[in-house]
Amino acid sequence: MNTIITEDIDLAATFLNKNAVIGFPTETVYGLAGNALEQDAVIKIFEAKNRPYFNPLIIHVKNINTISEFAHLDELSSKLAYAFMPGSLTLLLPKKQNVPDIVTAGSNKVAIRIPNHSSALALLHKIEYPLAAPSANVFGYVSPVSAKHVFDGLNGKIPLILNGGNCSVGVESTIVEVVNNTIIVHRVGGVTSEDIEEVIGHDGLIVTQKKSNQVQTAGQLKSHYATKTPLYQGNIAELWLMHNHKNVAIISFNNFYKEIEQINQFVLSPKGSLIEAAQNLFSTFRDLDNKGYDAILVEHFPNKGLGRAINDRIQRAQYINK
Ligand code: TXA
Ligand code: MG
């Protein structure tokens, strides 16, 4: 199969209407999309990326009104929807019957989001069904943030990639679920806990993050976003002593380490912006993975705002999971 990269939204819709699966851009990461209501299309998604069937898919819809076609929207979830959609928030909601079991892996909850990307929204308005879409990486590898990244992993396995440029957020959506008026964060992501607290804080509601061993979502699998090159997060001075006999790369937030040669250092945001750092994270992982390093050493990012999602993805990419 030839894989074409195109900006033609009509063509992308034509392929989807034939139950093909395609790469498509969102503001977080690229997705691998198919008609969520057609089992044939959904099976192709799992097969193209080698994803286990027990791992459910997010469905992408065009607007907030459409959510209630597929799920029951409680008051607090609705408040979050109006605050953050379209955007990098995924709501886990009780599903309606029309959502196929294969999409939710048999769960009675469905994950729904509205991508905040003009091509994705234009595509969703062209078709008459929601799109089931995981990140468009081969299962276990780093998520793609450009059409080329999708091509690198899935060339020959899908007919088309809709090119929408580089993803502006760069880490996956935040997945939340409202349980007993409490907001549970299943996956930290593009919408920060601070953002959520700003919207719901005055109601005295709690935002809690689930411990990874309590959650069955795949964001939680060991080494889920792993580079092929062993990657370690920690104190760079200590890691450097352990690894300095090797050919190593260093990823840092906003500063070079003066005692280490600069050529192998990669600063994600010289101006110290966590937004910019998140945008650059996965492409830096992918670039360095192709450069023949023996190891990639990554410092801890500030544990606030988007820094939490950045640290989370670095930890998941680690060679040895602690
Ligand atoms: O930003 C994003 O969310 C991207 C873009 C393409 O939208 N998508 C994405 O999908 O990251 P994926 O499949 O790579 O990660 C979605 C996570 C998985 O960990 C999955 O297990 C969880 O969401 N998930 C999906 N549906 C679920 C459900 N019904 N119950 C529990 N977890 C669910
Ligand atoms: Mg993924």
Side-chain angles (χ1 to χ4, degrees), residues 49 51 135 137 143 172 187 224-225:
K49 69 171 277 172
R51 178 178 174 114
S135 50
N137 49 305
S143 294
E172 297 87 344
R187 178 176 73 183
H224 187 56
Y225 303 86

